[in-house]
Amino acid sequence: MKTLILGIETTCDETSAAIVRDGYEVLSNVVSSQIDLHAKFGGVVPEVAARAHLECLNPIIEEAIKTANITSPAAAIDAIAVANCPGLIGCLLVGTAAAKAFAFAWQKPLIAVNHVQAHLYSVLLRDKGTRGQGDKEKNLPLSPCPLVTLPPCPLVPLSPCPPPPFPAIGLVMSGGHSSLYHVHAFDQLTRIGQTQDDAVGEAFDKVAAILHLGYPGGPFIDKLAEQGNPLAIRFPLSHLEKDSLNFSFSGLKTAVLYHVNGKKGRERDASSLTLQQKADIAASFQRTAALMLTEKIRRAANRFPTRSLIIGGGVSANTAIRKAVTDLGHELSLPVFIPPMRYCTDNAAMIAGLAHPLLLAGKTATLAMETIATV
Ligand code: KG4
Ligand code: ZN
């Protein structure tokens, strides 16, 4: 018996709805990015984000249902899943209110999904696009509500990807989180480390701002770093105490600021740098961030029983970090699971995906389900 789940994601600045079959086969995943709305502010404005979710969510859910070729959603869809934590509270409320309304109207089970944990689940998602299509579509300028529809499912169902051997060490790297987990199953995780200041994605975004690159900064740094020398500048590595599994990125960010703007942070700015100098800074920063992240994965794998490594979240799209984690897997003789590019950043497919094992385990929510900003 096939299970179809409608997933809804509105935790930050991406409005997304998806239909996923049996927890892995993505029939549709529609993502509307608010990047253009927030770019002029250099970061996400929570009230603007919540309002944009409100305007976009219904058409996006409709689009997800249509793309999945579902003609009678009330009959065909088995459950409604929504990211109810963590995230911006106004944004979360839009998604959870919609999910409750659909669950009530269609009399379907409601499933509350932790957005950060869902990022790790992305490694199991499969669709036509994972074989190379679609990623380019992500930046299409579409208006007024920019829908990015991923290709519909292939006619022949895909087989599920083999799941990572558990227990695993999982690292979620995003704009809001740098969280390290000991993973027993996708719905049974123990957090063993987190950032003490900036999230790694935040550091990428701030360094990009220092270098006068665009927003969000991660993809710009990644691209520019291709032409740079990662060994050009030795930025300080912060590993915290010898046994710590936590992260700290604010020192690295400040080191870049002083390098670019001078010791007081405002003697000069990036406009005096050549493109090559900027590329060297981007590559050196990226290398340092990758070293800091992989060191904590190494420590965790040495301390906890570990049979595989999993990464997820927007920053797991980064070329140097994907390579560094892959190399670490070779070094430790552990298989490494990395999501396809399109499922690194926020998407509803991962929400509908992780909801499947939760539904099978009877972990459903009631209409009194809460939204939680931080967990
Ligand atoms: O997971 P995500 O889409 O949203 C949150 O849950 O926060 O992550 C967004 C973050 C942003 O900070 C963005 O700059 C970063 O992911 N990012 C990258 C890359 N692509 C996105 N960072 C480094 N390299 C990339 N290629
Ligand atoms: Zn995220």
Side-chain angles (χ1 to χ4, degrees):
M1 177 60 182
K2 300 278 184 189
T3 306
L4 284 190
I5 298 184
L6 165 65
I8 296 174
E9 152 68 37
T10 61
T11 56
C12 188
D13 61 343
E14 250 108 30
T15 318
S16 179
I19 304 284
V20 177
R21 181 151 54 199
D22 288 343
Y24 69 91
E25 195 183 344
V26 182
L27 305 194
S28 64
N29 181 48
V30 185
V31 183
S32 164
S33 169
Q34 301 175 6
I35 285 176
D36 293 347
L37 278 181
H38 302 290
K40 57 179 174 288
F41 303 106
V44 179
V45 182
E47 289 76 13
V48 174
R51 178 171 288 268
H53 287 308
L54 205 53
E55 285 167 5
C56 282
L57 186 55
N58 279 341
I60 281 169
I61 292 173
E62 263 176 51
E63 177 78 12
I65 291 170
K66 207 169 100 200
T67 308
N69 286 329
I70 295 173
T71 43
S72 321
I77 291 171
D78 297 291
I80 317 293
V82 63
N84 75 325
C85 70
L88 300 169
I89 201 74
C91 298
L92 290 168
L93 281 168
V94 177
T96 51
K100 286 178 187 181
F102 279 105
F104 180 69
W106 293 345
Q107 289 296 297
K108 304 288 173 177
L110 176 66
I111 303 156
V113 176
N114 178 311
H115 167 93
V116 177
Q117 296 178 358
H119 268 304
L120 291 181
Y121 191 91
S122 304
V123 296
L124 289 193
L125 298 175
R126 301 214 54 198
D127 65 7
K128 233 182 179 173
T130 59
R131 292 198 284 267
Q133 298 176 23
D135 278 329
K136 280 193 222 87
E137 295 170 5
K138 207 151 186 219
N139 295 320
L140 281 182
L142 296 154
S143 62
C145 173
L147 294 179
V148 181
T149 306
L150 300 179
C153 68
L155 293 176
V156 182
L158 299 161
S159 54
C161 294
F166 293 120
I169 298 299
L171 177 61
V172 179
M173 304 168 274
S174 72
H177 297 88
S178 314
S179 302
L180 195 61
Y181 293 94
H182 194 218
V183 187
H184 299 279
F186 281 112
D187 58 343
Q188 281 173 46
L189 306 90
T190 311
R191 192 168 56 206
I192 52 176
Q194 59 186 316
T195 184
Q196 299 196 328
D197 39 57
D198 293 349
V200 58
E202 217 177 326
F204 270 88
D205 294 342
K206 287 177 178 166
V207 166
I210 294 167
L211 291 175
H212 298 174
L213 306 175
Y215 170 84
F220 289 96
I221 302 248
D222 200 347
K223 186 91 196 93
L224 187 58
E226 281 172 16
Q227 313 161 39
N229 172 6
L231 299 172
I233 304 139
R234 298 287 171 153
F235 289 123
L237 279 168
S238 162
H239 290 316
L240 301 171
E241 310 81 56
K242 200 159 67 62
D243 298 331
S244 176
L245 297 177
N246 290 326
F247 302 94
S248 169
F249 290 100
S250 69
L252 173 58
K253 174 195 69 187
T254 308
V256 176
L257 178 74
Y258 287 176
H259 182 86
V260 175
N261 291 18
K263 282 278 176 286
K264 293 197 178 114
R266 53 193 140 77
E267 281 132 273
R268 48 181 194 269
D269 73 9
S271 45
S272 60
L273 298 174
T274 63
L275 186 63
Q276 187 58 51
Q277 285 172 319
K278 284 191 183 184
D280 286 347
I281 294 168
S284 302
F285 159 77
Q286 199 171 265
R287 172 180 174 271
T288 313
L291 284 171
M292 283 160 68
L293 292 160
T294 46
E295 171 60 18
K296 298 304 158 74
I297 302 179
R298 182 186 286 104
R299 284 184 190 180
N302 285 336
R303 193 174 318 167
F304 297 92
T306 303
R307 297 181 59 218
S308 61
L309 308 178
I310 312 171
I311 61 170
V315 183
S316 61
N318 184 271
T319 319
I321 292 172
R322 290 169 91 88
K323 179 168 185 320
V325 177
T326 307
D327 290 348
L328 180 65
H330 287 307
E331 178 194 319
L332 300 176
S333 302
L334 292 171
V336 177
F337 290 76
I338 301 180
M341 292 296 260
R342 67 179 54 224
Y343 296 127
C344 289
T345 45
D346 290 347
N347 66 84
M350 66 184 190
I351 306 299
L354 178 53
H356 186 246
L358 296 174
L359 180 67
L360 295 184
K363 294 181 184 168
T364 55
T366 68
L367 293 178
M369 174 186 68
E370 292 187 347
T371 49
I372 308 158
T374 43
V375 287

